DNA sequence: CTATTGATTTCGAAC
DNA sequence: GTTCGAAGTCAATAG
């Protein structure tokens, strides 16, 4: 990883055009070809960047022209380009960092779906799973179940239940209902938390809302394990 | 801005839980309180981070315990926390960067709307603009036009035409159609690119899809004539 | 390779 | 303060 603290200006042309007036910034160049230009404020995002795969050319200082770093990337038919004009270098160091271990994550939507697929009754009494990722022509329904009356139930799972989640399951139901044998299919939105407005919208469309707790879902298994432990 | 190159491990608890095994990484601390942990690969995103406003505590090395940087933030009822355990420091430098100039942008959705307002025929043959940002009680229609048959046409403009864009114009049309004089108003989705699923949904709802080219709109490039060849 | 979707999305503006 | 929509969204996964 190369870290350059320098006074610089930058231009980006690609999906749009941007200009970054001259100021003191950090230019970070990763060994995978990532390039990022960070200001000392502005939070998470770099002011300019390019993701791999990139081509990085360093143009040395010459006559009146300052040194320049040119980063390019093929982007379909066109080319993305960042030009960094460096007028003053305060620091320029390179560190060999080797491989970094990957991030381990726990508690994302996929985990929620796994747990609910194993225990679909949390989405509604007596529900039994027929299929995960039930395909429609506008995307897959997370869980397709049947209830105690043998009626179809489409379950959409989200970490956060928003209006958009209600729209999504509504679209699925619209498609599912075209199939005569599934015309009475009902919908359930299951999420760790459901926004009040989403709940209101869902209720107006006869879509049931269920809040589920990751810890409880996992705790449900514990009695079984401890009994034998 | 403080740049620490160090061997470290990190834990995040908040919206989810993550663990980052020990490895060499860059810890970037901005003067606005942003903290980012970057590996030498992995592109644009840090492996761990926290956006302002944060509280940053530095716990010195003691006995068997390595030095630690603890970053916390109030997140509603709960607290987000990143703990960085630093076992070896290769470099630790601080640079005073002052204020960095803001980014200037050109080519965003607003520009597309301006150009199409000037040349609405790109959204449909013979269209003439009646009003930009036509107000409905659920938000403004980007362009309200009339066609050669004097029929109303509501145009929604996006850089990328997604299912959500189709939902949006559908909601608008639903409202517009309540006005008897506009009951025959039709909808057009104009975007630089339109996703296949969005196109399918739009066609099922008799909403027309039009792909437009920014460069062509600006007259920098001739329209693709191969369609007629 | 394209297309879709989740994300600790981030970010900003409108209300 | 909350909500809503855009983003050069990014990045991973499925087809």
């Amino acid at each position: 990883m190369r870290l350059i603290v320098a006074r610089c200006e930058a231009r980006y042309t690609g999906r749009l055009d941007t200009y970054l007036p001259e100021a003191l910034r950090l230019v970070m160049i990763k060994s995978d070809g990532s390039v990022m230009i960070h200001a000392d404020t502005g939070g998470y995002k770099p002011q300019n960047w390019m993701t791999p795969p990139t081509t990085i050319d360093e143009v040395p200082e010459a006559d009146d022209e300052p040194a320049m770093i040119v980063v390019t990337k093929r982007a379909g038919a066109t080319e993305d380009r960042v030009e960094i004009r460096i007028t003053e270098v305060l620091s320029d160091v390179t560190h060999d960092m080797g491989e970094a271990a990957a991030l381990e994550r726990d508690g994302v939507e996929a985990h929620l779906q796994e747990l609910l697929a194993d225990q679909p009754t949390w989405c509604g009494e007596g529900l039994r799973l027929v299929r995960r990722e039930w395909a429609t022509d506008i995307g897959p329904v997370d869980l397709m179940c049947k209830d105690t009356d043998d009626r179809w139930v489409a379950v959409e799972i989200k970490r956060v239940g928003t209006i958009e989640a209600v729209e999504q399951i509504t679209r699925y139901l619209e498609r599912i209902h075209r199939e005569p044998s599934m015309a009475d299919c009902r919908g359930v939105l299951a999420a760790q938390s459901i926004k009040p407005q989403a709940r209101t919208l869902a209720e107006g469309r006869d879509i049931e809302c269920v809040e589920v707790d990751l810890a409880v879902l996992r705790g449900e298994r514990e009695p079984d394990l401890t009994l034998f432990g």
Side-chain angles (χ1 to χ4, degrees), chain A:
Chain A
M1 184 185 289
R2 184 172 171 195
L3 302 171
I4 308 168
V5 177
R7 188 168 300 282
C8 61
E9 65 171 5
R11 278 174 202 282
Y12 164 75
T13 53
R15 279 178 270 192
L16 51 61
D17 297 285
T18 69
Y19 172 62
L20 210 45
E22 186 173 295
L24 219 48
R25 301 189 179 87
L26 168 70
V27 179
M28 189 189 330
I29 304 176
K30 292 190 178 183
S31 60
D32 65 356
S34 315
V35 177
M36 282 152 282
I37 305 176
H38 275 278
D40 196 17
T41 57
Y44 173 95
K45 283 183 94 170
Q47 291 187 306
N48 255 318
W49 71 93
M50 197 167 293
T51 51
T54 60
T55 304
I56 302 175
D57 286 306
E58 207 166 342
V59 182
E61 191 176 356
D63 294 340
D64 318 347
E65 282 303 305
M68 231 169 50
I69 296 173
V70 180
V71 189
T72 55
K73 174 162 76 155
R74 295 231 59 80
T78 176
E79 185 192 63
D80 274 21
R81 165 181 289 252
V82 172
E83 290 182 4
I84 311 170
R85 295 163 62 90
I86 295 179
T87 49
E88 184 193 0
V89 176
L90 275 73
S91 167
D92 182 351
V93 296
T94 300
H95 291 274
D96 184 358
M97 293 196 183
E99 284 289 303
L103 181 70
E104 298 163 18
R105 238 175 291 222
D106 178 42
V108 293
E109 185 182 304
H111 297 138
L112 201 58
Q113 192 187 122
E114 282 167 29
L115 289 162
L116 288 175
D118 282 347
Q119 309 167 70
T121 55
W122 284 108
C123 304
E125 213 182 314
L127 284 197
R128 59 189 191 281
L129 180 68
V130 176
R131 239 197 96 90
R132 262 173 81 175
E133 305 285 345
W134 176 287
T136 77
D137 56 356
I138 55 168
V141 176
D142 287 335
L143 304 183
M144 186 60 84
C145 303
K146 283 206 164 187
D147 65 14
T148 48
D149 299 327
D150 224 41
R151 184 179 169 190
W152 288 101
V153 182
V155 181
E156 178 62 32
I157 298 169
K158 291 283 182 232
R159 222 161 45 76
V160 181
T162 61
I163 285 179
E164 180 47 36
V166 180
E167 296 283 16
Q168 192 176 345
I169 189 164
T170 302
R171 290 195 298 272
Y172 290 149
L173 289 171
E174 192 181 309
R175 292 278 156 174
I176 292 166
H177 288 163
R178 294 182 179 192
E179 174 64 35
S181 65
M182 304 183 82
D184 71 338
C185 181
R186 62 191 176 89
V188 172
L189 170 61
Q192 286 180 277
S193 77
I194 295 179
K195 301 278 184 198
Q197 289 190 348
R199 189 182 291 275
T200 303
L201 182 65
E203 281 164 5
R205 294 180 180 177
D206 285 324
I207 292 166
E208 201 182 331
C209 290
V210 183
E211 283 194 346
V212 293
D213 186 311
L214 204 68
V216 170
L217 282 176
R218 287 177 170 153
E220 267 297 298
R221 287 176 176 170
E222 246 187 311
D224 291 335
L225 295 173
T226 50
L227 279 174
F228 302 96

